Amino acid sequence: MEQEDQESFIIDDGGEILDAGSETDSSSSSSVPKPDCFDAFTRNGMMRIGEESKEHRVIKNQFLTGMNQLAKDTSVVTIHKNICSTMYMKARFEAFNSCVDAIRERRGDRNDKYGWYGASKQEILHIISYGFSRCNGQSHGVGVYLSTSKFILETFPSTMEDENGLRHMLLCHVEMGKMELIRAGSKQIYPSSVEFDSGVDNLEDPSRLVVWIAYMNSFILPIYIVSFKAPSFSIGSLREQINEVRTGGEKLSIAVLLPMLVKVIGSAKGDMISKSLDDHRKCKINRDQMIQSLRRIIGNDRVLISVIKAIRGNFAVRAPNREGGGSSQ
C-alpha cells in the first residue's frame, strides 16, 4: 500500500477530491485545547492538519457551508487526518481499495461520494479503531447514513459534546457503486437486486447516502475528523433520525427549522417537538398528526411561517420532489 495515496485526499468547494499534498502541523494554537485532548485520535492513526494549510481551509469552508444558519455560531477547533499508520487502518484502506476495484470491474466505473457522519467522541474513536458497528438510520432503509456536504446540518443532531465541550464529525470517502432510490418508510436492509450497491433518498440531489450494514466497513473509509464548537439545542430524539415536514408545497428539514424555532419558542417546546417527531418515527402517530402537533406546540402559525420565510430568504431550500429523482440508469 502506498501511504501517499491516502495522504493526498482533500476536497474542493464542490465536494471533489483534489490531488494536493498534505500539510500537517503539530504545533498548538490559542484556539486549540491542550494537546492531550486529542491523544486518543493521534494514537489511532490520525494526524492534526495545520490551520494555515490549503487542506484545512477547504475542509473547514466545506463544513461551515453545510452547517447553514449555525455556521456563524460554529467554530472549527481542529481537523485530524487519517494517515493509515495503524495496522487496522492499513487493512481498512486495502479493503476499501479492493471494494473500489470490484465496483469498477462490475459497473465499469467507480462512484465516489464524500459523506459526513456525526457521532459522540466515543463512537468516532470506536470507528477509527475497529470500524462501524451499528446502523444509525431507519427512515430510508436500515443502514449507515452519511450526509452529503450540502446537508451536513442533518447529521449535527447525532453529535454530542465531549468532556471539553467539543463535538466531532467524520468526513468519509464512500464508494456508492450503483445507487437506487430508497423511499421514506422503507424497511430495506440490502440491495433490492444485484443491479444495485447502495441507496439514496434522492437520485439527483441526495442528502442521505445509505450504505447497507453488510458493506459498511468496505464501502466507507474515514478520512478526517472535524472537531468543533457549536450551539447546544435541546433536540433529544433527533439524534438518530431527522424527519421532514412538508409546508407550503416544499420540504424543509426539521434539522434546519428546529434550531431557529428554539430561539423563538424556547427549549421546553423544542423538547415537545422532538417527542412528536420521535412518535412519528416510531409510527405512533401519522404525518398529519405530527404536523398538527407541531402547529399546536408552536401555538401560532405566523411564528412558523416567519421562520420558514427567514430560512428561504437566506438559504437554499431543497426541491419539492425530494423523493422523485428518476430511476438509475
Side-chain angles (χ1 to χ4, degrees), residues 193-226:
S193 77
V194 294
E195 293 296 316
F196 301 108
D197 302 296
S198 63
V200 288
D201 62 338
N202 180 274
L203 289 169
E204 296 179 357
D205 186 23
S207 66
R208 297 184 182 96
L209 307 177
V210 182
V211 176
W212 308 118
I213 294 295
Y215 308 138
M216 59 187 178
N217 286 313
S218 54
F219 279 30
I220 308 173
L221 179 68
I223 308 174
Y224 300 100
I225 300 173
V226 177

Side-chain angles (χ1 to χ4, degrees), residues 9 12 37 146 166 173 180 190 196 211 228 253-254 260 326:
F9 286 156
D12 66 13
C37 293
L146 298 98
L166 300 180
H173 192 180
E180 63 178 309
Y190 44 75
F196 301 108
V211 176
F228 62 99
S253 169
I254 292 298
M260 191 173 290

Side-chain angles (χ1 to χ4, degrees), residues 2 4 29 43 62 74-75 81 106 117 133 143 146 154 224 226 252 300 318 320:
E2 293 295 326
E4 289 79 6
S29 76
R43 287 198 308 268
Q62 188 79 27
T74 299
S75 59
K81 176 181 186 176
R106 187 166 68 248
Y117 185 93
S133 60
L146 298 98
E154 294 204 359
Y224 300 100
V226 177
L252 292 174
N300 188 334
R318 64 183 67 177

Side-chain angles (χ1 to χ4, degrees), residues 73-84:
D73 298 316
T74 299
S75 59
V76 172
V77 175
T78 188
I79 300 174
H80 284 79
K81 176 181 186 176
N82 177 8
I83 57 172
C84 292

Side-chain angles (χ1 to χ4, degrees), residues 20-200:
S22 172
E23 299 176 46
T24 56
D25 180 8
S26 58
S27 64
S28 61
S29 76
S30 59
S31 63
V32 179
K34 55 185 180 179
D36 59 4
C37 293
F38 302 109
D39 276 355
F41 292 162
T42 56
R43 287 198 308 268
N44 285 279
M46 309 298 291
M47 179 177 288
R48 187 166 71 85
I49 300 173
E51 293 182 10
E52 300 305 316
S53 69
K54 179 179 180 180
E55 188 171 17
H56 188 285
R57 291 195 301 272
V58 168
I59 297 168
K60 176 181 176 179
N61 290 341
Q62 188 79 27
F63 172 74
L64 292 176
T65 298
M67 286 292 283
N68 290 332
Q69 78 270 22
L70 294 191
K72 67 181 187 304
D73 298 316
T74 299
S75 59
V76 172
V77 175
T78 188
I79 300 174
H80 284 79
K81 176 181 186 176
N82 177 8
I83 57 172
C84 292
S85 62
T86 66
M87 291 298 295
Y88 175 75
M89 274 301 184
K90 289 177 182 179
R92 283 283 297 279
F93 187 58
E94 292 290 352
F96 182 79
N97 279 340
S98 296
C99 166
V100 170
D101 291 341
I103 292 291
R104 183 186 290 115
E105 181 177 350
R106 187 166 68 248
R107 305 298 182 199
D109 197 6
R110 59 193 295 178
N111 182 18
D112 299 331
K113 302 290 182 184
Y114 296 89
W116 296 81
Y117 185 93
S120 66
K121 180 180 180 180
Q122 289 73 22
E123 183 177 354
I124 285 178
L125 282 171
H126 181 90
I127 291 169
I128 64 175
S129 300
Y130 307 107
F132 290 88
S133 60
R134 70 178 186 94
C135 68
N136 66 329
Q138 299 183 14
S139 68
H140 290 74
V142 181
V144 176
Y145 287 18
L146 298 98
S147 294
T148 54
S149 293
K150 287 169 58 179
F151 300 101
I152 292 173
L153 193 58
E154 294 204 359
T155 196
F156 171 71
S158 297
T159 65
M160 297 177 63
E161 286 190 354
D162 66 13
E163 66 278 8
N164 296 297
L166 300 180
R167 297 173 184 266
H168 310 274
M169 280 193 198
L170 282 172
L171 173 57
C172 300
H173 192 180
V174 188
E175 175 55 54
M176 295 294 287
K178 190 171 184 180
M179 306 179 300
E180 63 178 309
L181 177 66
I182 309 297
R183 298 192 180 279
S186 170
K187 300 303 180 184
Q188 190 170 328
I189 60 174
Y190 44 75
S192 62
S193 77
V194 294
E195 293 296 316
F196 301 108
D197 302 296
S198 63
V200 288

